[in-house]
Amino acid sequence: MKKLSIIVPAYNEEKTLDLFINEVNLETADLPLEKSYFFINDGSKDNTLEILKRLAASHDNVKYISFSRNFGKEAALLAGLQAADGDFITVMDADLQDPPEMLNEMYQKILEGYDVVGTRRTSREGEPPIRSFFARMFYRIINKISSIKMVDGARDFRLMTREVVNSILELPENNRFSKGLFAWVGYNVTYLEYKNRERIAGETSWNFWGLLRYSIDGIINFSEMPLNIATFVGFFSFLASLLLSIFYLLKTLIYGDPVQGFPTLIVLILLLGGLQLLSLGIIGKYIAKIFLETKKRPNYIIKESNLKELD
Ligand code: UDP
Ligand code: MG
């Protein structure tokens, strides 16, 4: 029988893990695949690790990796992808917002010849409206300015073949924006749709600023457009200054030179100073990325695990 690895990042998920594993086992009972779970405890501050250890003791297909601190969901995903040994790999949130029964249909699609079966939410019920609004904006922007197309509402929940996961793991970058990397590797992709589900227990670990930072990261990692904007703005203000100087030269030659135009001067100085700082800020963002990338720090540190290769 072929093997399915289920990767589950978990940060403060003590309330959801038991429900999660029961539900997934129930809903995928007919799936002709040998399942194993790879839980990544991302530096939880609650009893997540203890629960994982208990689950590992009672189920021999439960593996866990526990980080030395919270490294973020992206790092947890990476650790899971690296540890997974299945022929097929899926990534699921621990809170059952990703409907496990869909795995049956997803596997059918794989058998039809797709390499990746993703999922997207067609609604965002139960989510704060402000968050939905900014999420939509993010997808509008990133799809305009990046050559990589990201599907609005697409979740990390997806079923992939071994080949696809190997391609993702070959990407050497440290700054990992998974939504983009998943799209970047290509392959035959199809999406299944479903209505949003609310978290079964516990709380979301995302707040507004966290999401904003995450989306800026996504844009910087997958587009050079902000840098181009800086160049365009510079070019047009240069053009404007050329035209203005010709205008003032002619004006002075024709009407003489009474001292005027102090406000214009102030406005121009502020405008140009502002544009320069903005451009510097944009360039700084990219340099910061290069800085982080060159340090080549590992994405995570494993403190303990029940995986044999890692101990
Ligand atoms: N998660 C994680 N590390 C973090 C934040 C979240 O591993 O720093 C996990 C979390 O346990 C869950 C998944 O990522 O399994 C999605 O998180 P959450 O449900 O809080 O996000 P939302 O569904 O609200 O986008
Ligand atoms: Mg969630």
Side-chain angles (χ1 to χ4, degrees):
M1 195 145 57
K2 296 232 162 140
K3 289 196 286 186
L4 169 68
S5 301
I6 303 175
I7 298 173
V8 192
Y11 176 60
N12 296 343
E13 299 283 6
E14 61 179 6
K15 293 205 186 91
T16 62
L17 289 175
D18 285 303
L19 296 166
F20 173 84
I21 203 160
N22 288 339
E23 185 78 7
V24 176
N25 279 337
L26 192 75
E27 297 291 346
T28 60
D30 296 331
L31 200 66
L33 293 170
E34 190 190 322
K35 286 179 293 248
S36 42
Y37 294 88
F38 293 81
F39 289 99
I40 295 90
N41 172 33
D42 186 12
S44 300
K45 293 178 182 69
D46 63 1
N47 287 322
T48 298
L49 180 59
E50 283 65 39
I51 291 172
L52 287 179
K53 283 183 177 167
R54 200 194 66 218
L55 285 173
S58 57
H59 303 66
D60 49 5
N61 63 346
V62 170
K63 321 264 190 269
Y64 67 87
I65 293 172
S66 185
F67 287 172
S68 61
R69 65 169 170 85
N70 179 249
F71 282 92
K73 185 182 174 186
E74 294 292 331
L77 276 183
L78 177 65
L81 290 176
Q82 285 170 339
D85 56 359
D87 305 292
F88 303 101
I89 291 102
T90 181
V91 173
M92 296 180 86
D93 286 2
D95 55 12
L96 285 173
Q97 278 191 297
D98 302 326
E101 68 274 14
M102 286 182 81
L103 280 170
N104 301 302
E105 206 184 329
M106 288 158 89
Y107 184 56
Q108 284 309 314
K109 291 278 173 198
I110 292 269
L111 293 180
E112 283 170 27
Y114 288 102
D115 304 301
V116 180
V117 186
T119 57
R120 62 182 285 264
R121 290 188 290 189
T122 50
S123 70
R124 287 175 170 273
E125 290 145 34
E127 197 180 67
I130 180 98
R131 182 170 163 179
S132 307
F133 171 76
F134 277 101
R136 291 234 167 74
M137 287 265 293
F138 168 74
Y139 284 104
R140 289 257 289 279
I141 294 175
I142 191 103
N143 282 323
K144 283 240 166 62
I145 65 178
S146 170
S147 52
I148 298 300
K149 290 286 156 267
M150 293 182 208
V151 180
D152 186 1
R155 305 273 303 167
D156 288 337
F157 180 34
R158 55 186 56 227
L159 185 61
M160 297 171 278
T161 62
R162 163 69 25 209
E163 198 187 4
V164 174
V165 171
N166 285 347
S167 300
I168 292 169
L169 291 177
E170 264 169 42
L171 303 178
E173 61 219 76
N174 245 15
N175 280 296
R176 300 189 80 88
F177 184 73
S178 293
K179 281 187 198 308
L181 297 181
F182 286 150
W184 189 90
V185 294
Y187 289 98
N188 259 340
V189 185
T190 183
Y191 280 93
L192 300 179
E193 296 184 344
Y194 71 102
K195 281 220 172 66
N196 190 36
R197 283 201 190 166
E198 294 194 39
R199 200 173 232 290
I200 189 157
E203 268 159 35
T204 174
S205 34
W206 289 97
N207 59 27
F208 178 74
W209 293 111
L211 279 171
L212 187 68
R213 234 179 296 131
Y214 180 64
S215 42
I216 291 178
D217 266 355
I219 290 174
I220 302 277
N221 275 321
F222 278 90
S223 169
E224 288 111 54
M225 189 52 109
L227 284 171
N228 296 340
I229 291 174
T231 316
F232 279 129
V233 168
F235 180 71
F236 283 115
S237 56
F238 169 69
L239 221 68
S241 74
L242 213 68
L243 292 177
L244 269 178
S245 42
I246 294 172
F247 170 73
Y248 280 114
L249 186 72
L250 292 178
K251 194 176 158 213
T252 314
L253 286 177
I254 298 168
Y255 298 103
D257 185 24
V259 180
Q260 262 180 3
F262 186 65
T264 331
L265 206 63
I266 297 293
V267 169
L268 278 179
I269 289 176
L270 285 180
L271 179 75
L272 287 179
L275 290 178
Q276 282 171 8
L277 287 178
L278 180 75
S279 313
L280 271 182
I282 293 175
I283 296 169
K285 264 283 176 207
Y286 282 84
I287 295 183
K289 287 277 169 209
I290 302 172
F291 177 58
L292 289 175
E293 201 70 41
T294 52
K295 285 200 248 188
K296 295 216 180 304
R297 285 198 184 144
N299 283 63
Y300 54 82
I301 293 170
I302 295 175
K303 190 167 167 232
E304 57 178 295
S305 162
N306 68 340
L307 279 168
K308 275 171 218 82
E309 315 84 80
L310 297 170
D311 281 340

